[in-house]
Amino acid sequence: MNLQEWVLQHNLLPIHHTLLLLVEWTAFRAENQEPIERQRLSKTSLEGSLPTGGTIELSDQNAADELPSATLENTPQQPTEASDSSRFVSVKTDVLEVVIDLVGGDVVETALLAYPENIETPNIPFVLLEQGTQRTYTAQSGLVGPDGIDSESRALFAVAKNRYEMTPNTPLEIALLFETIDSVVVTKRFAFEPGSYAIDVSYDIENNGENTWRAVPFAQIKRDSTAPPDADTSGFGMQPFLGAATTTAEDRFKKFTFNDMADDPWKAQVIGGWIAMIQHYFVSAWVPNKDDTHSYSARQTNSGLNIAGFTSPKLELDPGQSGSVGARFYAGPKDQYSLEAISPYLELSVDYGWLWWIAQPLFWLLTKIHSFVGNWGVAIILLTVLVKGAFFKLSATSLGLNIMAV
């Protein structure tokens, strides 16, 4: 008995038709969709000598409102373009390819190795964050305020080498170095764990100067309003949410469209919390220290960029003192169990709609079945059989009443 005969015998014809329609539509789109040319930063040459820590001259590009204006005493300047490949660091783990810009230490590209960009090209990973001609979508972090290294211009870090690759089953840490003229040494660290889409980003500061050092940590996600590469532009069905989201004491899950951010900028003080950018299957999020009160905001800049981020309590170090501060950054799939473990209510970014009370238990059951069979297709079929069996009595009763009515 083949699969089609089995489906017909077990009265699963509607599901069978839906699957066939989905397969045919996917094939049609693959045949008629124009290929997208994307020049990935991680594919460019990253070899060459690296600059030492210090200041650089950069032109202003409406940078005044691309960083948390509430804490800035000066206007940090932004680079005009990422043309010098020596300023990028490429990091490869077992699930991620990440590109870090030495100007500011920002994450300017993340490629998800387990998720292909297209089913026809399984060896080309899906790019979530990117900085290029097609899209601006980056994760920024830094130190602003009175003595912040990102206050007057973004800090230019130094690093040991341009390429790093994770040894199997072994954590990986990248250290970026910067020293001020006042003998304050700042080390920005990126820590990667095997199998994880979360990156721990931290600052270690050593005040070897003669004056008290003060700065305000910030982190934010900067994104334009373009549709994500996995968006369905066919016009069929409901369009998934695209925008920012956060959690507050009043709302476990609060969403902002890009139009919302432009028309009504949002600010709030939250203990712990998180802030994210959400699209159909994937999410990026900053998660700061859960015990501190952070100033969150979501807004759109004069240049049309959408900014969702936070500032943390001021860090103050007397001469001879050292201190640390950091946050966790996630860039990956909407895996509700992984997201739940990272921060409370972050798993709500997996939007099941108003039928969440049915969808969540079904998804839990589906993942349990998959853990035994190891194949999602088989798991879906078995889940369908179980649901069909659970409602068999009700269906039989309804069918009997319909026959009697006739």
Side-chain angles (χ1 to χ4, degrees):
M1 180 185 299
N2 60 31
L3 178 60
Q4 183 174 359
E5 293 172 342
W6 185 90
V7 167
L8 292 173
Q9 179 177 326
H10 290 80
N11 196 23
L12 299 179
L13 190 58
I15 298 175
H16 176 62
H17 285 169
T18 302
L19 292 174
L20 287 178
L21 181 60
L22 179 61
V23 171
E24 290 299 323
W25 174 242
T26 303
F28 173 81
R29 288 194 64 202
E31 292 174 0
N32 292 275
Q33 190 175 29
E34 294 183 1
I36 298 175
E37 294 294 333
R38 175 184 286 113
Q39 182 178 0
R40 292 182 51 202
L41 291 173
S42 59
K43 293 301 183 184
T44 61
S45 174
L46 300 179
E47 303 296 336
S49 60
L50 293 175
T52 57
T55 59
I56 54 176
E57 295 183 0
L58 302 168
S59 63
D60 182 60
Q61 282 193 323
N62 293 322
D65 51 9
E66 290 187 13
L67 293 175
S69 57
T71 60
L72 291 181
E73 296 183 359
N74 298 296
T75 302
Q77 297 177 343
Q78 300 288 340
T80 56
E81 59 180 347
S83 58
D84 183 5
S85 62
S86 67
R87 68 184 247 188
F88 296 109
V89 178
S90 174
V91 183
K92 184 176 182 180
T93 73
D94 54 345
V95 295
L96 281 172
E97 281 186 354
V98 177
V99 177
I100 301 169
D101 191 344
L102 290 176
V103 178
D106 298 331
V107 178
V108 295
E109 184 178 292
T110 59
L112 313 183
L113 301 181
Y115 298 86
E117 181 180 274
N118 190 292
I119 195 171
E120 303 297 331
T121 54
N123 294 327
I124 300 178
F126 178 82
V127 176
L128 183 57
L129 272 66
E130 58 182 306
Q131 178 175 279
T133 57
Q134 287 188 313
R135 185 171 294 103
T136 296
Y137 186 3
T138 62
Q140 300 178 300
S141 57
L143 301 168
V144 292
D147 302 308
I149 60 176
D150 296 296
S151 292
E152 295 183 359
S153 62
R154 301 304 306 279
L156 178 59
F157 289 94
V159 70
K161 57 183 181 180
N162 286 97
R163 292 182 182 273
Y164 294 84
E165 185 165 350
M166 175 179 285
T167 303
N169 303 316
T170 305
L172 175 65
E173 183 177 280
I174 311 301
L176 311 184
L177 300 177
F178 181 88
E179 184 172 357
T180 72
I181 58 175
D182 298 322
S183 300
V184 177
V185 179
V186 178
T187 305
K188 186 171 187 178
R189 302 184 189 277
F190 294 81
F192 302 84
E193 291 290 334
S196 176
Y197 294 95
I199 308 169
D200 288 319
V201 183
S202 62
Y203 285 89
D204 293 334
I205 303 102
E206 299 177 16
N207 185 3
N208 300 318
E210 300 178 352
N211 301 309
T212 300
W213 183 89
R214 301 178 181 87
V216 176
F218 84 90
Q220 64 188 24
I221 303 170
K222 179 171 70 173
R223 194 194 192 287
D224 58 25
S225 299
T226 58
D230 62 332
D232 185 352
T233 58
S234 64
F236 288 90
M238 297 180 61
Q239 295 300 312
F241 176 79
L242 174 64
T246 189
T247 186
T248 68
E250 298 77 22
D251 298 300
R252 293 189 304 172
F253 185 68
K254 187 177 182 66
K255 296 191 296 187
F256 309 92
T257 66
F258 294 149
N259 288 335
D260 292 336
M261 296 165 68
D263 297 338
D264 187 18
W266 171 84
K267 293 181 180 180
Q269 300 280 323
V270 179
I271 300 175
W274 49 265
I275 196 154
M277 285 285 183
I278 295 174
Q279 60 194 60
H280 195 185
Y281 301 109
F282 305 99
V283 59
S284 64
W286 278 110
V287 183
N289 188 306
K290 63 182 179 64
D291 299 319
D292 293 333
T293 299
H294 308 276
S295 299
Y296 286 90
S297 64
R299 64 198 186 279
Q300 191 174 97
T301 71
N302 296 332
S303 56
L305 291 170
N306 304 288
I307 305 291
F310 66 87
T311 58
S312 295
K314 181 171 64 175
L315 185 63
E316 187 171 310
L317 298 175
D318 291 328
Q321 281 191 325
S322 300
S324 299
V325 66
R328 174 168 288 190
F329 178 67
Y330 179 91
K334 289 182 179 179
D335 182 337
Q336 69 177 47
Y337 301 116
S338 296
L339 296 175
E340 184 179 18
I342 292 174
S343 186
Y345 309 127
L346 184 55
E347 76 276 8
L348 296 180
S349 59
V350 183
D351 190 359
Y352 292 109
W354 67 275
L355 288 175
W356 62 269
W357 53 280
I358 296 177
Q360 281 193 338
L362 286 177
F363 180 74
W364 176 86
L365 182 57
L366 180 64
T367 55
K368 289 297 182 182
I369 296 173
H370 177 263
S371 67
F372 288 104
V373 301
N375 183 287
W376 285 110
V378 175
I380 291 171
I381 292 174
L382 293 177
L383 176 64
T384 305
V385 173
L386 289 176
V387 172
K388 190 73 175 177
F391 288 94
F392 175 78
K393 182 67 176 178
L394 182 61
S395 299
T397 302
S398 176
L399 179 61
L401 292 175
N402 289 335
I403 293 175
M404 291 176 63
V406 173

